[in-house]
């Protein structure tokens, strides 16, 4: 069976005549000559092999076949119109969103404030949690536009640009039962002999060197799983204070010989130069420090 050959213009002419009741009215609505409209319908009928209208002078009346076809034609035309609207917005919508890859230690309140701000300006924001190594790889491959990560205290070279964002305070946390038999303040040696819950990938070595004390680690990069591990007494964690781990069930801050004053990690924003969304990125980079300060 040969394929039916028809055009969008033919379907448009058919549905317009059905809707407005005559060639003259449909031609005015579509901005076309009435003869052109009649030819389009004739060609459609020739392709179908059956008439769509009964011509009674200037009046057109749908045939039974036309009655059945007009329902499907109207559905198809709505889909076509939706496609047209979408296609027109593609050049604009392609640049109306940013992808942000963020360190697991990034304050959720900051990310939520950023989401609200972007939404208020009709900007989409895609968010992905990843380690610093993974973030740089995604930025290099164009899979993300911006990254919020812990500073590494080393040059990022010519491939990336960076800007300081703020700092997060850190403290030691564990179940009340984990060190119940040990006197506090705990030494680093005592901490190193107990399992430590780590949120960063082992390959993220610069971060691991700053955060890892114990040689016995348990890894979980999702906050609720970290919480479950600490509450179950599986290990202790060196975590941002904004996690509010002291509010978790049976979890408390640990007193250690190194204390907890002035223990912080610097957070930076990183990106790859030459991004074609640079205007939107500049807007976002400009507002991020204020949002960071606003959420404390």
């Amino acid at each position: 069976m040969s394929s039916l050959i028809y055009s969008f213009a033919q379907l448009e002419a058919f549905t317009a005549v059905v809707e407005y009741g005559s060639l003259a009215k449909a031609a005015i609505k579509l901005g076309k000559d009435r003869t052109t409209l009649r030819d389009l319908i004739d060609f459609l009928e020739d392709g179908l092999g059956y008439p769509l209208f009964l011509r009674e002078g200037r009046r057109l009346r749908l045939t039974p076949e036309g009655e059945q076809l007009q329902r499907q034609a109207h559905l198809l035309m709505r889909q076509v119109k939706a496609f047209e609207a979408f296609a027109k917005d593609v050049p604009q919508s392609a640049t109306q969103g940013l992808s942000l890859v963020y360190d697991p230690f990034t304050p959720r309140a900051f990310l939520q404030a950023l989401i609200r701000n972007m939404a208020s300006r009709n900007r989409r924001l895609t968010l992905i949690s990843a380690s610093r190594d993974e973030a740089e790889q995604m930025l290099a491959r164009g899979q993300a536009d911006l990254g919020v990560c812990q500073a590494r205290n080393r040059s990022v070279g010519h491939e990336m640009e960076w800007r300081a964002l703020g700092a997060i305070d850190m403290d030691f946390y564990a179940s009340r039962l984990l060190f119940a038999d040990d006197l506090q303040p705990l030494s680093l040696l005592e901490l190193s002999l107990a399992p430590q819950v780590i949120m960063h990938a082992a390959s993220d070595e610069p971060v691991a060197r700053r955060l890892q004390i114990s040689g016995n680690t348990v890894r979980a990069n999702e906050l609720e799983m970290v919480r479950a591990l600490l509450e179950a007494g599986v290990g202790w964690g060196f975590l941002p204070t904004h996690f509010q781990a002291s509010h978790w069930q049976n979890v408390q801050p640990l007193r250690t010989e190194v204390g907890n004053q002035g223990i912080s990690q610097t957070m930076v924003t990183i990106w790859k130069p030459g991004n074609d969304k640079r205007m939107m990125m500049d807007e976002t980079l400009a507002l991020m420090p204020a949002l960071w300060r606003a959420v404390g």
Side-chain angles (χ1 to χ4, degrees), residues 202-239:
S203 61
D204 206 347
E205 293 181 3
V207 172
R209 283 196 295 269
R210 291 198 307 274
L211 302 180
Q212 185 174 331
I213 296 172
S214 175
N216 181 5
T217 60
V218 180
R219 299 188 182 276
N221 65 354
E222 205 278 319
L223 182 56
E224 285 304 308
M225 298 306 101
V226 171
R227 174 175 181 168
L229 290 168
L230 262 67
E231 288 180 341
V234 173
W236 60 273
F238 183 45
L239 305 172

Side-chain angles (χ1 to χ4, degrees), residues 16 36 54 64 104 138 140 158 170 197 202 212 225 257 275 287 292-293:
T36 301
L54 295 175
M138 293 181 69
H158 299 294
M170 307 284 294
V197 178
Q212 185 174 331
M225 298 306 101
E257 290 180 348
N275 193 307
L287 68 88
W292 185 278
R293 292 191 297 269

